[in-house]
Amino acid sequence: GAGPTEARRDPALVDAINQVFALFRLNYHNQYYSAYGDAGQLSQVKRLWLDSLAGHGTEAILLGARRCIETSEYLPTLHRMLECCREATLAAQGLPDAHAAYREACLAPEPKQAARWSHPAVFHAGREAGWFFLASTPEPKAFPVFEKRYRAVCDRIVAGEVLQLPAPEHGPQAAAALVAPDADEQRARLATLRAETGV
């Protein structure tokens, strides 16, 4: 990836960092001046942020700054800014936040492969945490376990991995039927299947 000096030479990234600090100056006026009153210190801080945030790209950096402003009345630390950039990157890829993903995983009907997932990451994190565990464990204990798995799956996506949902185990019929068919419908399907396959 881009080393620190390469990041510093990318004019688009430098511009994004300058925009971020301008946004922070407007939104956190007094905190900003007490934190970055010294011009020499400010340029060092900007270099540190530039090096640390370079991997996210300009769009995620600007979205991350807006997210910081929307979610906190305090001037963000670099750690908080990294979190916000990560959240913005995930949101841009259609990934729900960890709590929404947890609720989705807990409420998904069986068979899990055939449920409608907002993103394959939610399914993968749920499977890794364990469906039975999620169903049988109170949220205060289950959520941290799910969240850790979900973060790991999201990190893989941010790194460029493409996740798919596994094919439903019971053939294409299961995917069409999110709800189990009643007995009459099952018999009718079976009869159709027999007629089609000659079994």
Side-chain angles (χ1 to χ4, degrees):
T5 47
E6 293 166 59
R8 247 172 251 176
R9 280 198 295 265
D10 181 341
L13 275 172
V14 172
D15 188 48
I17 294 296
N18 284 325
Q19 283 184 58
V20 165
F21 278 82
L23 278 170
F24 289 167
R25 192 175 63 235
L26 283 169
N27 285 276
Y28 302 108
H29 193 269
N30 293 348
Q31 294 174 47
Y32 181 91
Y33 284 107
S34 67
Y36 308 126
D38 177 311
Q41 186 203 10
L42 178 59
S43 67
Q44 281 184 309
V45 170
K46 283 184 178 180
R47 278 198 296 273
L48 172 66
W49 281 50
L50 180 60
D51 293 344
S52 301
L53 296 168
H56 283 281
T58 55
E59 193 184 347
I61 289 171
L62 293 171
L63 286 170
R66 292 204 183 91
R67 196 172 185 95
C68 283
I69 290 164
E70 286 162 12
T71 58
S72 175
E73 55 189 289
Y74 300 106
L75 184 67
T77 59
L78 176 56
H79 176 78
R80 179 68 191 131
M81 179 60 181
L82 283 162
E83 275 290 296
C84 286
C85 287
R86 186 178 180 283
E87 289 166 14
T89 302
L90 298 181
Q93 296 196 29
L95 284 146
D97 69 66
H99 213 263
Y102 170 75
R103 280 196 305 273
E104 187 182 337
C106 289
L107 297 171
E110 294 288 348
K112 300 295 184 187
Q113 293 93 325
R116 287 182 192 275
W117 295 100
S118 62
H119 194 285
V122 182
F123 169 84
H124 286 277
R127 187 173 64 181
E128 287 175 24
W131 301 119
F132 179 75
F133 171 78
L134 292 177
S136 61
T137 310
E139 183 172 331
K141 281 182 77 174
F143 176 65
V145 172
F146 175 85
E147 186 180 28
K148 190 176 174 197
R149 300 288 194 283
Y150 185 62
R151 284 183 75 96
V153 171
C154 289
D155 288 343
R156 284 161 37 201
I157 291 166
V158 170
E161 190 176 326
V162 178
L163 288 181
Q164 304 292 337
L165 287 172
E169 285 168 6
H170 309 295
Q173 303 254 296
L178 290 176
V179 208
D182 64 26
D184 290 342
E185 196 181 340
Q186 279 181 325
R187 276 195 291 275
R189 278 192 193 169
L190 205 55
T192 313
L193 202 59
R194 283 203 186 105
E196 286 169 359
T197 57
V199 176

